[in-house]
Amino acid sequence: MPDQNLPRIVEFAQLPKSPTGIEGLDEITEGGLPLGRPTLVCGSAGCGKTLLGIEFLVRGILDYDEPGVLMAFEETAAELAANVASLGFDLVQLQADKKLRLDHVHVDRSEIDETGEYDLEGLFIRLGYAIDTIGAKRVVLDTIESLFSGFPNEAVLRSEIRRLFRWLKDKGVTTVITAERGEGTLTRQGLEEYVSDCVILLDNRVIDQVTTRRLRIVKYRGSTHGTNEYPYIITEDGISVLPVTSLKLEHKVSDEVISTGVADLDGMFRRGGLYKGSSTLITGTAGTAKTTLGAAFALAACQRGERCLIFAFEESPAQLLRNMATVGLDLQPFVASGQLRIEASRPTLNGLERHLVTIHKLIGDFKPDTVVIDPISNLVSVGSLSEVRSMLTRLVDFLKVQGINALFTALISGERGQREMTEEGISSLVDTWIHVRDLEGVGERNRGISILKARGMGHSNQVREFLVTEHGIRLLDVLVGPAGIITGASRLTQHIQEQAQILAAEQEAERRDRELERKRRVLEATIANLRTEFESVEDELRRVNSEEQERYDTQQQGRRQLSRSFSAQSPAAPNGSGA
């Protein structure tokens, strides 16, 4: 018997879902469509409703081994097979393998009027037979308007719609039902959206002469889901929805540091470069060597043995290779070896969504370690700043999740452009922001580089002048004068002045050395004179001392002689008188 004192843990079962296999849609729906329930896909003409249904069936067969039934009311089986053949969907072969059942139902209002009362009983029998024949798990009905065109009575129509949806639920098949959009309602009948468990709205709009398709999950019973509008495109591989790749920002990070491709620039970062897998933005006005910095970054990646992908929106691959070779950045050998790939196109060739999908596809095929996009600012020509920001948010997030080193360049115009990059652009999305600028002097323009932002890493706050030479980019040491940082010709003038000051100091030092040498010689001469004088006095004293010693010796000798003479002349003592 369970302990009554233990806290009760309630586990809520998640709603079973059937994955669609459509790129991005499963993420928005958090796993797919409701399993065993009907889903309504509605939209205007040309938004891809039929294609979404067919891809749902084909992906289910190929990826999940779930047979499917497609019941069409407008196009024949042959027409449908021909229409999707260009996407690589071989419906004929899938039918031959008994994985797919195509059934075209012809509905004609005039024929219905002649035969009498109309209901869906025959459809249920026909559809049920098709499902049971191949053991179908998925069903697509395309489109429902044709099916209900034979109902003049609205009450009967609503009753039959409810009966159809209930019948599909009872069969336990995951169903996609397509419908045309109505006036002020999601569908023409205005009822299907209410009885469906999941409603997906497709929209095809034209903004500034650019076609954009967008998808929105209107409702999803029993499940959370993405609620925004998500761009999607139809490519040669089918439908691709473009959600934000990682809503929870749970991508991995690395402590490994890689080079920017410019050794002097690496030195401006405390750890000697950029974090691996991070994103870097280089902004600047025209002619400030943004593309050259991007090429140096790509070259460094190739030299590390990494695969690199460059997206160029301004120059052809041949022009880019030639221009970079003139500044010492030889990318051609890596292009020839297949390690470096350059994709060049005009931004206006496609809309933002197609550009994003193209980037995703090329990254998936080429699997690069490093990606350079030059410049992202050109994408504004095919969308507003907010749309570009949305697209780049998805792209930056995708690259981070993949652990790819990313570098973006962006053209800005003056301080207003820099404000746009911070307020409406992507500077807040990237990890590192490097800014290059013009340093205008007297009659000349020079280039300066500074680091505005580097997440998780200390960096220099200086503005460094740099040169684009035949051997790449070289940063110059900071030279500060009375009026601030000195660049260009002023740097040369300052150098000449410093050389003149050094020369003057050397000359002054030489003069002082000569004066010191003169004084040394005078001192040495004085010392020599004093020594000579001292030696003369010393000799004189020695002579005097010697003479005095001789006189003294003579005197002593005379005294001794005198004493001896005196002793010889004295009389002898008398002998004793009593002898």
Side-chain angles (χ1 to χ4, degrees):
M1 183 176 181
D3 191 345
Q4 299 294 332
N5 297 324
L6 291 176
R8 185 174 174 227
I9 299 176
V10 180
E11 294 185 359
F12 296 96
Q14 293 184 349
L15 182 70
K17 297 186 178 182
S18 175
T20 65
I22 297 175
E23 182 181 359
L25 183 57
D26 288 336
E27 184 175 351
I28 296 173
T29 56
E30 298 186 5
L33 305 181
L35 182 66
R37 300 185 183 187
T39 296
L40 179 67
V41 178
C42 52
S44 57
C47 60
K49 301 182 299 296
T50 301
L51 178 59
L52 187 147
I54 293 177
E55 187 167 357
F56 170 70
L57 290 178
V58 173
R59 301 295 181 195
I61 295 170
L62 299 179
D63 299 341
Y64 307 103
D65 194 25
E66 294 184 357
V69 172
L70 172 59
M71 184 165 282
F73 303 102
E74 292 183 345
E75 297 177 276
T76 65
E79 290 171 342
L80 289 171
N83 292 343
V84 298
S86 61
L87 303 178
F89 300 159
D90 191 351
L91 302 187
V92 176
Q93 183 61 45
L94 294 177
Q95 291 182 86
D97 296 338
K98 299 189 182 303
K99 295 291 186 180
L100 176 67
R101 185 72 179 265
L102 292 180
D103 195 358
H104 174 246
V105 178
H106 178 69
V107 179
D108 193 325
R109 177 66 181 270
S110 61
E111 296 177 2
I112 295 172
D113 291 340
E114 293 176 1
T115 56
E117 192 62 33
Y118 177 69
D119 60 30
L120 298 180
E121 195 61 40
L123 174 68
F124 295 158
I125 296 174
R126 189 166 177 173
L127 183 56
Y129 174 77
I131 293 173
D132 297 337
T133 300
I134 62 173
K137 302 295 183 182
R138 303 187 179 203
V139 172
V140 172
L141 301 180
D142 182 53
T143 65
I144 200 170
E145 282 78 23
S146 300
L147 182 62
F148 293 127
S149 62
F151 288 95
N153 189 320
E154 185 174 347
V156 175
L157 170 61
R158 290 176 176 272
S159 175
E160 289 299 300
I161 289 177
R162 288 191 178 93
R163 192 159 73 97
L164 172 62
F165 278 70
R166 172 50 57 189
W167 184 87
L168 291 169
K169 283 187 178 182
D170 293 340
K171 290 293 290 185
V173 291
T174 306
T175 308
V176 170
I177 301 173
T178 65
E180 294 289 340
R181 191 167 185 177
E183 293 292 335
T185 58
L186 295 178
T187 61
R188 291 183 181 178
Q189 312 303 332
L191 178 65
E192 298 93 318
E193 57 263 39
Y194 296 103
V195 296
S196 300
D197 289 83
C198 179
V199 178
I200 300 175
L201 176 63
L202 304 182
D203 187 23
N204 187 16
R205 66 189 72 167
V206 178
I207 302 175
D208 295 333
Q209 301 180 356
V210 177
T211 300
T212 302
R213 293 183 171 93
R214 298 188 182 274
L215 177 148
R216 180 167 65 94
I217 308 297
V218 178
K219 80 172 186 178
Y220 199 137
R221 286 175 180 161
S223 174
T224 58
H225 56 86
T227 58
N228 297 329
E229 279 193 335
Y230 300 96
Y232 70 95
I233 66 171
I234 300 174
T235 69
E236 61 274 12
D237 298 320
I239 291 178
S240 179
V241 188
L242 308 174
V244 175
T245 305
S246 176
L247 298 177
K248 296 183 179 180
L249 296 176
E250 294 179 345
H251 54 269
K252 297 180 180 179
V253 296
S254 172
D255 289 331
E256 183 179 348
V257 174
I258 61 174
S259 173
T260 62
V262 180
D264 296 331
L265 180 57
D266 291 340
M268 295 181 69
F269 294 92
R270 182 163 298 176
R271 294 199 59 186
L274 307 171
Y275 283 121
K276 185 176 182 180
S278 64
S279 54
T280 302
L281 173 67
I282 298 178
T283 59
T285 54
T288 49
K290 299 181 299 297
T291 300
T292 306
L293 287 166
F297 184 71
L299 179 60
C302 294
Q303 291 173 342
R304 291 193 300 268
E306 299 176 356
R307 296 169 68 84
C308 182
L309 182 59
I310 297 178
F311 293 94
F313 293 132
E314 289 184 337
E315 297 177 279
S316 67
Q319 183 180 1
L320 181 64
L321 292 174
R322 182 203 65 186
N323 293 348
M324 294 303 103
T326 60
V327 293
L329 304 176
D330 190 5
L331 302 174
Q332 181 60 47
F334 299 103
V335 174
S337 66
Q339 191 176 342
L340 173 64
R341 184 172 178 179
I342 302 176
E343 290 292 329
S345 64
R346 288 291 182 188
T348 52
L349 178 64
N350 298 306
L352 289 175
E353 288 73 26
R354 182 168 289 275
H355 277 300
L356 182 57
V357 170
T358 300
I359 292 172
H360 275 235
K361 185 176 185 299
L362 289 173
I363 290 175
D365 294 341
F366 189 64
K367 301 188 184 312
D369 302 289
T370 299
V371 169
V372 176
I373 300 181
D374 176 50
I376 58 173
S377 48
N378 280 21
L379 297 174
V380 178
S381 61
V382 291
S384 64
L385 280 175
S386 60
E387 290 174 332
V388 173
R389 177 187 174 88
S390 176
M391 177 262 198
L392 292 173
T393 299
R394 299 192 295 271
L395 177 58
V396 169
D397 196 65
F398 170 74
L399 295 174
K400 282 190 175 182
V401 170
Q402 300 295 322
I404 295 174
N405 312 312
L407 184 139
F408 310 94
T409 69
L411 175 67
I412 63 174
S413 54
E415 293 184 0
R416 180 167 183 258
Q418 186 165 333
R419 288 198 303 270
E420 289 175 350
M421 295 305 297
T422 55
E423 296 174 3
E424 302 178 9
I426 68 159
S427 58
S428 62
L429 304 176
V430 297
D431 300 304
T432 304
W433 184 6
I434 299 173
H435 185 59
V436 286
R437 68 187 72 177
D438 288 325
L439 303 176
E440 295 189 7
V442 180
E444 64 178 8
R445 293 172 61 247
N446 302 294
R447 298 184 178 99
I449 188 168
S450 60
I451 302 172
L452 301 183
K453 164 187 174 182
R455 284 177 178 157
M457 185 181 298
H459 57 277
S460 171
N461 63 350
Q462 292 179 325
V463 178
R464 298 279 299 275
E465 183 183 2
F466 70 95
L467 302 175
V468 180
T469 70
E470 295 181 354
H471 305 288
I473 293 177
R474 182 171 66 90
L475 272 63
L476 304 179
D477 293 333
V478 176
L479 188 60
V480 180
I485 296 177
I486 299 175
T487 62
S490 299
R491 178 186 289 271
L492 179 60
T493 302
Q494 179 72 13
H495 178 70
I496 294 174
Q497 291 176 352
E498 290 178 351
Q499 292 296 321
Q501 292 175 357
I502 293 173
L503 180 60
E506 291 176 350
Q507 292 174 346
E508 177 64 19
E510 291 177 356
R511 186 191 65 78
R512 289 195 297 267
D513 290 342
R514 290 194 301 270
E515 180 66 18
L516 182 62
E517 179 65 19
R518 184 186 66 79
K519 290 182 177 180
R520 185 183 65 80
R521 288 197 298 267
V522 170
L523 178 60
E524 289 178 349
T526 302
I527 293 173
N529 292 333
L530 292 173
R531 182 177 289 112
T532 302
E533 182 178 354
F534 173 78
E535 291 174 352
S536 176
V537 172
E538 185 181 28
D539 290 341
E540 181 65 20
L541 290 175
R542 287 175 180 170
R543 185 181 62 80
V544 171
N545 289 337
S546 178
E547 290 176 350
E548 288 180 352
Q549 183 68 35
E550 288 178 357
R551 285 195 299 271
Y552 175 78
D553 292 340
T554 301
Q555 290 175 358
Q556 290 296 326
Q557 184 178 5
R559 289 189 184 100
R560 286 193 298 270
Q561 290 176 355
L562 181 61
S563 176
R564 284 194 299 267
S565 299
F566 179 76
S567 298
Q569 294 175 6
S570 297
N575 297 329
S577 57

